[in-house]
Amino acid sequence: MTQTPSVIAPADAWVRRPWHPLSLLLVLALWLSTLGNLPLWRAMWDLTDTHSLRTWLGLVGFALIVLSATTVLLSLLVWPIWRKPVGVALLMVAAANSYFMIAYGVVIDPTMMANTVQTDVREVRDLLSWSMLVVLALGVVLPGWWWWRQPVQKLPARRLVGRQLGLAALAALVLLVVVWASFQDLASTMRNHKSMRYMLNPFNTIYASARLVVGQAAQARQPLQPIGQDAVFAPATVAGHKPPLIVLVVGETARAANFGLAGYARDTTPQLRQLQSSGELAYFSNVSSCGTNTQVSVPCMFSHLGREANAKNDIPYENLLDVLQRAGMQVLWVDNQSGCKGLCDRVPNTNTLALKDPVLCPDGECFDEIMLRVLPERLAQLEKAATRGKAAGTVVVLHQMGNHGPAYYKRTPADMKVYQPECRSTVLQDCPAQEIVNAYDNAVRYTDHLLAQTVRWLKSQPRPTAMLYVSDHGESLGEKGLYLHGMPYMMAPKEQTHVPMVMWLSKPLQSQLKWDAHCWKKQVSAPISHDHLFHSVLTLAQVKTRLQQPELDVYAGCVARSP
């Protein structure tokens, strides 16, 4: 008897059934709207303690809005020629954004995108973790592999365009209807919880990237605008004048809340406190940053515009360093971080990245003391190259690695780790809260050591000297579920905007300036901000220009100004 051989369907036969292009597009839209937006849905759920019927209806309505908006986006964006790579890219954006929003409580806005673009290899390395790799595997590799393998029906171009645009129109209609029906609750939520606007994947990345590209393109089209062209060095004492040496230390991610001089329970600044008790040093207790990340704050600190005007400005201007150099001062930028954000492009500068000191630069990253190690040699080179007759003085900027997170434990050498145990993970939420604080406080204490060492070195110099330290922005250490920094300024917690500022003046410089300590110490509790730095440094450096605003000068009470 002849048996008919059975036909066994291949195990992956279902894969070979071509998808209708719109069906596959809707699968991607559904994935991005749900699993790709887990941080958004968690935040929405946490908005209310009472999950009533109205709460559920609100969530359903908002889910329809997100799904409709995502469908419109994909209908306009995803076409056959680039369907697969664009789909994988969107999965990657959603997964990466979701990981950082959940892990650190950040949101994706234009300033965060600018900070991301400026991130260097060291910072990327600090952010890598097993949990991040797991999220990327589950959110990108597996769905991306599935997405890439799916066969799709090939429709005539005219029919596909018509149907896909029709889907976009239908989704847009649903979007408008649901927004209209839930407008009151939706508007209230977006108004009272503005961070939600920057949690919607992938729209947050598209919006932030577009804003960044447009802003950079607008600046690129315009020539650099000079400022302070009338700047001159005008010493208070001409007879016997010695050119001063001023060191500006730009701190990184140090918040005032953990600074010993600010009244913190731990004495994280013992060496600075000793200088303060001897009357040599002043701590400014009420200082606000210009931004919540380095990309915004550092350029703003050296700008003449101030925070509000700087946020709206698209014109490239020179900065404080250009004005000081134009007045005849020698200017040097020493960087132990990811760069000067364009500030030092027109002045002598050096970076510690290439240094191989076995003690201060283990594992390819240098502790901040390395800057003091290279400073004397760089200053000698600067003096040698200086044009004769230009002895107005020198301004040095030391740009710290400071408290750069999340790997706070990497910022301190072994002999400076006072507070134990410390968090040694870059996934901060995996560490007990106290261990995070211990690692962070050790880094603050190391900054205290660096600043005290800087003062000791300045005291050894044969000319009048000064040191001014201010952090670029603060940091969240888990308060309200937030870690790191970078929240939009309008909604940023105080921990990210309240920063420490310290000033030390040598006796010879005080005598040269004809100042007494009281004239600037009366400002130590006054509300000031990064807006004051530009104008105050000009006075400290004895540079005059019509650009200076006395009301933004913390030393205004020290100087007798012409009527």
Side-chain angles (χ1 to χ4, degrees), residues 393-435:
T394 305
V395 174
V396 176
V397 181
L398 305 180
H399 188 198
Q400 278 188 274
M401 180 60 80
N403 282 60
H404 198 289
Y408 307 122
Y409 70 95
K410 289 185 178 181
R411 311 303 171 224
T412 53
D415 61 346
M416 295 292 294
K417 295 184 181 296
V418 177
Y419 308 110
Q420 294 289 348
E422 64 175 3
C423 175
R424 299 187 65 82
S425 171
T426 59
V427 186
L428 296 179
Q429 70 271 26
D430 289 349
C431 288
Q434 190 56 55
E435 292 186 13

mmCIF file of all heavy atoms in Angstrom, residues 393-435:
data_model
loop_
_atom_site.group_PDB
_atom_site.id
_atom_site.type_symbol
_atom_site.label_atom_id
_atom_site.label_comp_id
_atom_site.label_asym_id
_atom_site.label_seq_id
_atom_site.Cartn_x
_atom_site.Cartn_y
_atom_site.Cartn_z
ATOM 1 N N GLY A 393 48.603 90.946 33.115
ATOM 2 C CA GLY A 393 48.259 89.911 34.066
ATOM 3 C C GLY A 393 47.803 88.651 33.346
ATOM 4 O O GLY A 393 47.762 88.594 32.108
ATOM 5 N N THR A 394 47.441 87.650 34.133
ATOM 6 C CA THR A 394 47.099 86.336 33.582
ATOM 7 C C THR A 394 45.822 85.822 34.230
ATOM 8 O O THR A 394 45.644 85.925 35.446
ATOM 9 C CB THR A 394 48.237 85.328 33.842
ATOM 10 O OG1 THR A 394 49.457 85.854 33.322
ATOM 11 C CG2 THR A 394 47.929 83.991 33.185
ATOM 12 N N VAL A 395 44.949 85.247 33.405
ATOM 13 C CA VAL A 395 43.750 84.573 33.902
ATOM 14 C C VAL A 395 43.799 83.128 33.426
ATOM 15 O O VAL A 395 43.912 82.861 32.226
ATOM 16 C CB VAL A 395 42.457 85.253 33.409
ATOM 17 C CG1 VAL A 395 41.237 84.425 33.828
ATOM 18 C CG2 VAL A 395 42.349 86.661 33.959
ATOM 19 N N VAL A 396 43.733 82.196 34.375
ATOM 20 C CA VAL A 396 43.748 80.770 34.080
ATOM 21 C C VAL A 396 42.392 80.182 34.449
ATOM 22 O O VAL A 396 41.860 80.458 35.527
ATOM 23 C CB VAL A 396 44.856 80.044 34.873
ATOM 24 C CG1 VAL A 396 44.785 78.539 34.633
ATOM 25 C CG2 VAL A 396 46.223 80.588 34.500
ATOM 26 N N VAL A 397 41.841 79.373 33.566
ATOM 27 C CA VAL A 397 40.594 78.660 33.851
ATOM 28 C C VAL A 397 40.917 77.172 33.995
ATOM 29 O O VAL A 397 41.499 76.571 33.094
ATOM 30 C CB VAL A 397 39.547 78.848 32.735
ATOM 31 C CG1 VAL A 397 38.261 78.111 33.099
ATOM 32 C CG2 VAL A 397 39.261 80.326 32.514
ATOM 33 N N LEU A 398 40.576 76.600 35.143
ATOM 34 C CA LEU A 398 40.707 75.166 35.383
ATOM 35 C C LEU A 398 39.316 74.543 35.314
ATOM 36 O O LEU A 398 38.458 74.855 36.144
ATOM 37 C CB LEU A 398 41.340 74.890 36.750
ATOM 38 C CG LEU A 398 42.692 75.535 37.040
ATOM 39 C CD1 LEU A 398 43.172 75.143 38.439
ATOM 40 C CD2 LEU A 398 43.732 75.150 35.991
ATOM 41 N N HIS A 399 39.088 73.699 34.338
ATOM 42 C CA HIS A 399 37.771 73.081 34.147
ATOM 43 C C HIS A 399 37.800 71.669 34.725
ATOM 44 O O HIS A 399 38.407 70.759 34.165
ATOM 45 C CB HIS A 399 37.416 73.048 32.661
ATOM 46 C CG HIS A 399 36.012 72.616 32.390
ATOM 47 N ND1 HIS A 399 35.592 72.173 31.147
ATOM 48 C CD2 HIS A 399 34.917 72.550 33.183
ATOM 49 C CE1 HIS A 399 34.313 71.874 31.202
ATOM 50 N NE2 HIS A 399 33.877 72.075 32.433
ATOM 51 N N GLN A 400 37.138 71.483 35.847
ATOM 52 C CA GLN A 400 37.188 70.237 36.594
ATOM 53 C C GLN A 400 36.388 69.081 35.980
ATOM 54 O O GLN A 400 35.411 69.301 35.277
ATOM 55 C CB GLN A 400 36.598 70.451 37.991
ATOM 56 C CG GLN A 400 37.486 71.050 39.027
ATOM 57 C CD GLN A 400 36.775 70.989 40.374
ATOM 58 O OE1 GLN A 400 36.015 71.891 40.692
ATOM 59 N NE2 GLN A 400 37.009 69.936 41.141
ATOM 60 N N MET A 401 36.788 67.867 36.346
ATOM 61 C CA MET A 401 35.918 66.701 36.229
ATOM 62 C C MET A 401 34.982 66.673 37.434
ATOM 63 O O MET A 401 33.822 66.269 37.336
ATOM 64 C CB MET A 401 36.745 65.410 36.165
ATOM 65 C CG MET A 401 35.896 64.159 36.047
ATOM 66 S SD MET A 401 34.841 64.094 34.578
ATOM 67 C CE MET A 401 36.015 63.568 33.346
ATOM 68 N N GLY A 402 35.468 67.133 38.569
ATOM 69 C CA GLY A 402 34.643 67.386 39.747
ATOM 70 C C GLY A 402 33.792 66.216 40.187
ATOM 71 O O GLY A 402 34.294 65.135 40.485
ATOM 72 N N ASN A 403 32.493 66.422 40.239
ATOM 73 C CA ASN A 403 31.534 65.410 40.694
ATOM 74 C C ASN A 403 30.766 64.799 39.533
ATOM 75 O O ASN A 403 29.603 64.414 39.692
ATOM 76 C CB ASN A 403 30.531 66.027 41.679
ATOM 77 C CG ASN A 403 31.105 66.201 43.059
ATOM 78 O OD1 ASN A 403 32.088 66.902 43.248
ATOM 79 N ND2 ASN A 403 30.497 65.567 44.043
ATOM 80 N N HIS A 404 31.379 64.720 38.384
ATOM 81 C CA HIS A 404 30.677 64.213 37.214
ATOM 82 C C HIS A 404 30.163 62.805 37.480
ATOM 83 O O HIS A 404 30.905 61.908 37.867
ATOM 84 C CB HIS A 404 31.608 64.216 35.998
ATOM 85 C CG HIS A 404 30.894 64.115 34.697
ATOM 86 N ND1 HIS A 404 30.273 62.967 34.280
ATOM 87 C CD2 HIS A 404 30.690 65.027 33.706
ATOM 88 C CE1 HIS A 404 29.726 63.157 33.093
ATOM 89 N NE2 HIS A 404 29.957 64.401 32.723
ATOM 90 N N GLY A 405 28.870 62.612 37.272
ATOM 91 C CA GLY A 405 28.251 61.321 37.541
ATOM 92 C C GLY A 405 27.965 60.554 36.257
ATOM 93 O O GLY A 405 28.196 61.061 35.156
ATOM 94 N N PRO A 406 27.442 59.360 36.372
ATOM 95 C CA PRO A 406 27.043 58.715 37.623
ATOM 96 C C PRO A 406 28.169 58.012 38.368
ATOM 97 O O PRO A 406 27.959 57.539 39.484
ATOM 98 C CB PRO A 406 26.015 57.679 37.140
ATOM 99 C CG PRO A 406 26.481 57.315 35.767
ATOM 100 C CD PRO A 406 27.036 58.576 35.179
ATOM 101 N N ALA A 407 29.367 57.941 37.775
ATOM 102 C CA ALA A 407 30.484 57.225 38.411
ATOM 103 C C ALA A 407 31.227 58.152 39.370
ATOM 104 O O ALA A 407 32.402 58.447 39.181
ATOM 105 C CB ALA A 407 31.427 56.674 37.349
ATOM 106 N N TYR A 408 30.550 58.605 40.421
ATOM 107 C CA TYR A 408 31.178 59.527 41.376
ATOM 108 C C TYR A 408 32.430 58.911 41.992
ATOM 109 O O TYR A 408 33.397 59.622 42.292
ATOM 110 C CB TYR A 408 30.195 59.894 42.486
ATOM 111 C CG TYR A 408 28.862 60.428 42.012
ATOM 112 C CD1 TYR A 408 27.675 59.807 42.374
ATOM 113 C CD2 TYR A 408 28.794 61.555 41.192
ATOM 114 C CE1 TYR A 408 26.447 60.280 41.945
ATOM 115 C CE2 TYR A 408 27.578 62.034 40.750
ATOM 116 C CZ TYR A 408 26.401 61.387 41.129
ATOM 117 O OH TYR A 408 25.195 61.865 40.686
ATOM 118 N N TYR A 409 32.420 57.605 42.193
ATOM 119 C CA TYR A 409 33.539 56.941 42.865
ATOM 120 C C TYR A 409 34.840 57.056 42.074
ATOM 121 O O TYR A 409 35.929 56.925 42.625
ATOM 122 C CB TYR A 409 33.202 55.467 43.124
ATOM 123 C CG TYR A 409 33.138 54.611 41.886
ATOM 124 C CD1 TYR A 409 34.244 53.868 41.466
ATOM 125 C CD2 TYR A 409 31.974 54.536 41.120
ATOM 126 C CE1 TYR A 409 34.185 53.088 40.332
ATOM 127 C CE2 TYR A 409 31.912 53.748 39.991
ATOM 128 C CZ TYR A 409 33.021 53.027 39.588
ATOM 129 O OH TYR A 409 32.960 52.253 38.455
ATOM 130 N N LYS A 410 34.739 57.298 40.762
ATOM 131 C CA LYS A 410 35.934 57.422 39.937
ATOM 132 C C LYS A 410 36.622 58.775 40.088
ATOM 133 O O LYS A 410 37.723 58.964 39.576
ATOM 134 C CB LYS A 410 35.579 57.212 38.467
ATOM 135 C CG LYS A 410 35.215 55.790 38.101
ATOM 136 C CD LYS A 410 35.002 55.673 36.600
ATOM 137 C CE LYS A 410 34.693 54.254 36.166
ATOM 138 N NZ LYS A 410 34.520 54.161 34.692
ATOM 139 N N ARG A 411 35.986 59.714 40.737
ATOM 140 C CA ARG A 411 36.509 61.083 40.773
ATOM 141 C C ARG A 411 37.480 61.328 41.923
ATOM 142 O O ARG A 411 38.018 62.425 42.058
ATOM 143 C CB ARG A 411 35.351 62.089 40.883
ATOM 144 C CG ARG A 411 34.210 61.854 39.884
ATOM 145 C CD ARG A 411 34.679 61.866 38.454
ATOM 146 N NE ARG A 411 33.595 61.437 37.556
ATOM 147 C CZ ARG A 411 33.756 60.589 36.559
ATOM 148 N NH1 ARG A 411 34.944 60.091 36.322
ATOM 149 N NH2 ARG A 411 32.738 60.235 35.798
ATOM 150 N N THR A 412 37.703 60.325 42.768
ATOM 151 C CA THR A 412 38.573 60.514 43.928
ATOM 152 C C THR A 412 39.617 59.415 44.004
ATOM 153 O O THR A 412 39.304 58.236 43.790
ATOM 154 C CB THR A 412 37.755 60.497 45.238
ATOM 155 O OG1 THR A 412 36.950 59.315 45.286
ATOM 156 C CG2 THR A 412 36.854 61.704 45.329
ATOM 157 N N PRO A 413 40.861 59.775 44.326
ATOM 158 C CA PRO A 413 41.881 58.745 44.549
ATOM 159 C C PRO A 413 41.589 57.965 45.828
ATOM 160 O O PRO A 413 40.820 58.410 46.683
ATOM 161 C CB PRO A 413 43.175 59.553 44.672
ATOM 162 C CG PRO A 413 42.747 60.929 45.041
ATOM 163 C CD PRO A 413 41.393 61.129 44.450
ATOM 164 N N ALA A 414 42.213 56.804 45.962
ATOM 165 C CA ALA A 414 41.909 55.896 47.075
ATOM 166 C C ALA A 414 42.123 56.537 48.431
ATOM 167 O O ALA A 414 41.358 56.293 49.376
ATOM 168 C CB ALA A 414 42.749 54.630 46.937
ATOM 169 N N ASP A 415 43.148 57.384 48.560
ATOM 170 C CA ASP A 415 43.450 57.968 49.871
ATOM 171 C C ASP A 415 42.529 59.126 50.245
ATOM 172 O O ASP A 415 42.657 59.693 51.328
ATOM 173 C CB ASP A 415 44.912 58.434 49.925
ATOM 174 C CG ASP A 415 45.221 59.501 48.881
ATOM 175 O OD1 ASP A 415 44.400 59.690 47.951
ATOM 176 O OD2 ASP A 415 46.271 60.155 48.978
ATOM 177 N N MET A 416 41.583 59.481 49.365
ATOM 178 C CA MET A 416 40.648 60.567 49.657
ATOM 179 C C MET A 416 39.229 60.054 49.890
ATOM 180 O O MET A 416 38.298 60.839 50.016
ATOM 181 C CB MET A 416 40.639 61.565 48.491
ATOM 182 C CG MET A 416 41.955 62.288 48.269
ATOM 183 S SD MET A 416 42.366 63.425 49.608
ATOM 184 C CE MET A 416 41.063 64.645 49.436
ATOM 185 N N LYS A 417 39.061 58.749 49.967
ATOM 186 C CA LYS A 417 37.720 58.182 50.149
ATOM 187 C C LYS A 417 37.399 58.097 51.640
ATOM 188 O O LYS A 417 37.540 57.037 52.276
ATOM 189 C CB LYS A 417 37.629 56.820 49.462
ATOM 190 C CG LYS A 417 37.781 56.928 47.937
ATOM 191 C CD LYS A 417 37.582 55.597 47.261
ATOM 192 C CE LYS A 417 37.752 55.711 45.752
ATOM 193 N NZ LYS A 417 36.742 56.570 45.116
ATOM 194 N N VAL A 418 36.931 59.193 52.188
ATOM 195 C CA VAL A 418 36.668 59.306 53.619
ATOM 196 C C VAL A 418 35.379 58.598 54.009
ATOM 197 O O VAL A 418 35.303 57.951 55.062
ATOM 198 C CB VAL A 418 36.610 60.795 54.036
ATOM 199 C CG1 VAL A 418 36.267 60.930 55.507
ATOM 200 C CG2 VAL A 418 37.920 61.486 53.701
ATOM 201 N N TYR A 419 34.361 58.728 53.183
ATOM 202 C CA TYR A 419 33.030 58.209 53.530
ATOM 203 C C TYR A 419 32.805 56.861 52.859
ATOM 204 O O TYR A 419 32.870 56.749 51.629
ATOM 205 C CB TYR A 419 31.959 59.210 53.099
ATOM 206 C CG TYR A 419 32.219 60.606 53.622
ATOM 207 C CD1 TYR A 419 32.585 61.643 52.758
ATOM 208 C CD2 TYR A 419 32.136 60.875 54.981
ATOM 209 C CE1 TYR A 419 32.842 62.913 53.239
ATOM 210 C CE2 TYR A 419 32.395 62.146 55.466
ATOM 211 C CZ TYR A 419 32.752 63.163 54.592
ATOM 212 O OH TYR A 419 33.013 64.419 55.077
ATOM 213 N N GLN A 420 32.555 55.845 53.682
ATOM 214 C CA GLN A 420 32.404 54.485 53.195
ATOM 215 C C GLN A 420 31.160 53.826 53.806
ATOM 216 O O GLN A 420 30.728 54.216 54.889
ATOM 217 C CB GLN A 420 33.657 53.665 53.569
ATOM 218 C CG GLN A 420 34.932 54.114 52.874
ATOM 219 C CD GLN A 420 34.943 53.770 51.393
ATOM 220 O OE1 GLN A 420 34.113 53.005 50.903
ATOM 221 N NE2 GLN A 420 35.885 54.361 50.658
ATOM 222 N N PRO A 421 30.594 52.833 53.147
ATOM 223 C CA PRO A 421 30.927 52.374 51.790
ATOM 224 C C PRO A 421 30.354 53.318 50.745
ATOM 225 O O PRO A 421 29.403 54.039 51.035
ATOM 226 C CB PRO A 421 30.258 51.011 51.715
ATOM 227 C CG PRO A 421 29.080 51.134 52.629
ATOM 228 C CD PRO A 421 29.516 52.034 53.751
ATOM 229 N N GLU A 422 30.937 53.325 49.574
ATOM 230 C CA GLU A 422 30.440 54.197 48.518
ATOM 231 C C GLU A 422 29.899 53.384 47.359
ATOM 232 O O GLU A 422 30.320 52.255 47.118
ATOM 233 C CB GLU A 422 31.541 55.150 48.036
ATOM 234 C CG GLU A 422 32.730 54.485 47.391
ATOM 235 C CD GLU A 422 33.725 55.492 46.831
ATOM 236 O OE1 GLU A 422 33.527 56.699 46.998
ATOM 237 O OE2 GLU A 422 34.714 55.042 46.215
ATOM 238 N N CYS A 423 28.954 53.963 46.657
ATOM 239 C CA CYS A 423 28.356 53.313 45.493
ATOM 240 C C CYS A 423 29.400 53.212 44.390
ATOM 241 O O CYS A 423 29.975 54.218 43.975
ATOM 242 C CB CYS A 423 27.154 54.120 45.002
ATOM 243 S SG CYS A 423 26.409 53.483 43.481
ATOM 244 N N ARG A 424 29.625 52.000 43.918
ATOM 245 C CA ARG A 424 30.604 51.776 42.857
ATOM 246 C C ARG A 424 29.930 51.264 41.588
ATOM 247 O O ARG A 424 30.517 50.545 40.785
ATOM 248 C CB ARG A 424 31.688 50.798 43.332
ATOM 249 C CG ARG A 424 32.466 51.322 44.541
ATOM 250 C CD ARG A 424 33.637 50.415 44.886
ATOM 251 N NE ARG A 424 34.639 50.384 43.845
ATOM 252 C CZ ARG A 424 35.596 51.292 43.661
ATOM 253 N NH1 ARG A 424 35.668 52.338 44.487
ATOM 254 N NH2 ARG A 424 36.471 51.185 42.695
ATOM 255 N N SER A 425 28.688 51.651 41.434
ATOM 256 C CA SER A 425 27.927 51.287 40.238
ATOM 257 C C SER A 425 27.499 52.553 39.516
ATOM 258 O O SER A 425 27.300 53.599 40.144
ATOM 259 C CB SER A 425 26.690 50.474 40.626
ATOM 260 O OG SER A 425 25.831 50.294 39.508
ATOM 261 N N THR A 426 27.364 52.445 38.208
ATOM 262 C CA THR A 426 26.839 53.582 37.449
ATOM 263 C C THR A 426 25.319 53.539 37.360
ATOM 264 O O THR A 426 24.708 54.468 36.855
ATOM 265 C CB THR A 426 27.433 53.607 36.033
ATOM 266 O OG1 THR A 426 27.116 52.383 35.368
ATOM 267 C CG2 THR A 426 28.954 53.769 36.087
ATOM 268 N N VAL A 427 24.730 52.446 37.831
ATOM 269 C CA VAL A 427 23.265 52.348 37.902
ATOM 270 C C VAL A 427 22.884 52.773 39.312
ATOM 271 O O VAL A 427 22.787 51.951 40.224
ATOM 272 C CB VAL A 427 22.780 50.927 37.586
ATOM 273 C CG1 VAL A 427 21.250 50.886 37.531
ATOM 274 C CG2 VAL A 427 23.378 50.428 36.279
ATOM 275 N N LEU A 428 22.682 54.065 39.499
ATOM 276 C CA LEU A 428 22.561 54.615 40.845
ATOM 277 C C LEU A 428 21.391 54.031 41.617
ATOM 278 O O LEU A 428 21.466 53.859 42.837
ATOM 279 C CB LEU A 428 22.445 56.140 40.759
ATOM 280 C CG LEU A 428 23.676 56.857 40.190
ATOM 281 C CD1 LEU A 428 23.446 58.357 40.140
ATOM 282 C CD2 LEU A 428 24.922 56.541 40.999
ATOM 283 N N GLN A 429 20.286 53.742 40.942
ATOM 284 C CA GLN A 429 19.122 53.232 41.664
ATOM 285 C C GLN A 429 19.366 51.841 42.238
ATOM 286 O O GLN A 429 18.587 51.374 43.075
ATOM 287 C CB GLN A 429 17.878 53.240 40.771
ATOM 288 C CG GLN A 429 17.890 52.217 39.659
ATOM 289 C CD GLN A 429 18.527 52.756 38.402
ATOM 290 O OE1 GLN A 429 19.361 53.658 38.448
ATOM 291 N NE2 GLN A 429 18.127 52.226 37.258
ATOM 292 N N ASP A 430 20.460 51.184 41.835
ATOM 293 C CA ASP A 430 20.804 49.873 42.389
ATOM 294 C C ASP A 430 21.561 49.990 43.707
ATOM 295 O O ASP A 430 21.768 48.975 44.389
ATOM 296 C CB ASP A 430 21.657 49.076 41.397
ATOM 297 C CG ASP A 430 20.848 48.617 40.182
ATOM 298 O OD1 ASP A 430 19.605 48.737 40.224
ATOM 299 O OD2 ASP A 430 21.456 48.161 39.204
ATOM 300 N N CYS A 431 22.015 51.196 44.039
ATOM 301 C CA CYS A 431 22.789 51.413 45.258
ATOM 302 C C CYS A 431 21.906 51.958 46.374
ATOM 303 O O CYS A 431 20.971 52.724 46.111
ATOM 304 C CB CYS A 431 23.917 52.412 45.015
ATOM 305 S SG CYS A 431 25.274 51.782 44.011
ATOM 306 N N PRO A 432 22.198 51.613 47.635
ATOM 307 C CA PRO A 432 21.523 52.280 48.746
ATOM 308 C C PRO A 432 21.772 53.780 48.685
ATOM 309 O O PRO A 432 22.851 54.225 48.281
ATOM 310 C CB PRO A 432 22.175 51.655 49.981
ATOM 311 C CG PRO A 432 22.715 50.339 49.507
ATOM 312 C CD PRO A 432 23.117 50.556 48.085
ATOM 313 N N ALA A 433 20.789 54.563 49.112
ATOM 314 C CA ALA A 433 20.882 56.023 49.001
ATOM 315 C C ALA A 433 22.125 56.569 49.686
ATOM 316 O O ALA A 433 22.792 57.474 49.163
ATOM 317 C CB ALA A 433 19.622 56.661 49.581
ATOM 318 N N GLN A 434 22.472 56.023 50.855
ATOM 319 C CA GLN A 434 23.614 56.547 51.595
ATOM 320 C C GLN A 434 24.931 56.285 50.875
ATOM 321 O O GLN A 434 25.859 57.095 50.931
ATOM 322 C CB GLN A 434 23.667 55.947 53.003
ATOM 323 C CG GLN A 434 24.686 56.611 53.922
ATOM 324 C CD GLN A 434 24.469 58.115 54.048
ATOM 325 O OE1 GLN A 434 23.380 58.554 54.392
ATOM 326 N NE2 GLN A 434 25.487 58.906 53.750
ATOM 327 N N GLU A 435 25.018 55.165 50.163
ATOM 328 C CA GLU A 435 26.250 54.882 49.432
ATOM 329 C C GLU A 435 26.430 55.844 48.257
ATOM 330 O O GLU A 435 27.558 56.206 47.903
ATOM 331 C CB GLU A 435 26.243 53.430 48.944
ATOM 332 C CG GLU A 435 26.344 52.420 50.081
ATOM 333 C CD GLU A 435 26.486 50.993 49.594
ATOM 334 O OE1 GLU A 435 26.747 50.809 48.376
ATOM 335 O OE2 GLU A 435 26.342 50.075 50.410
#
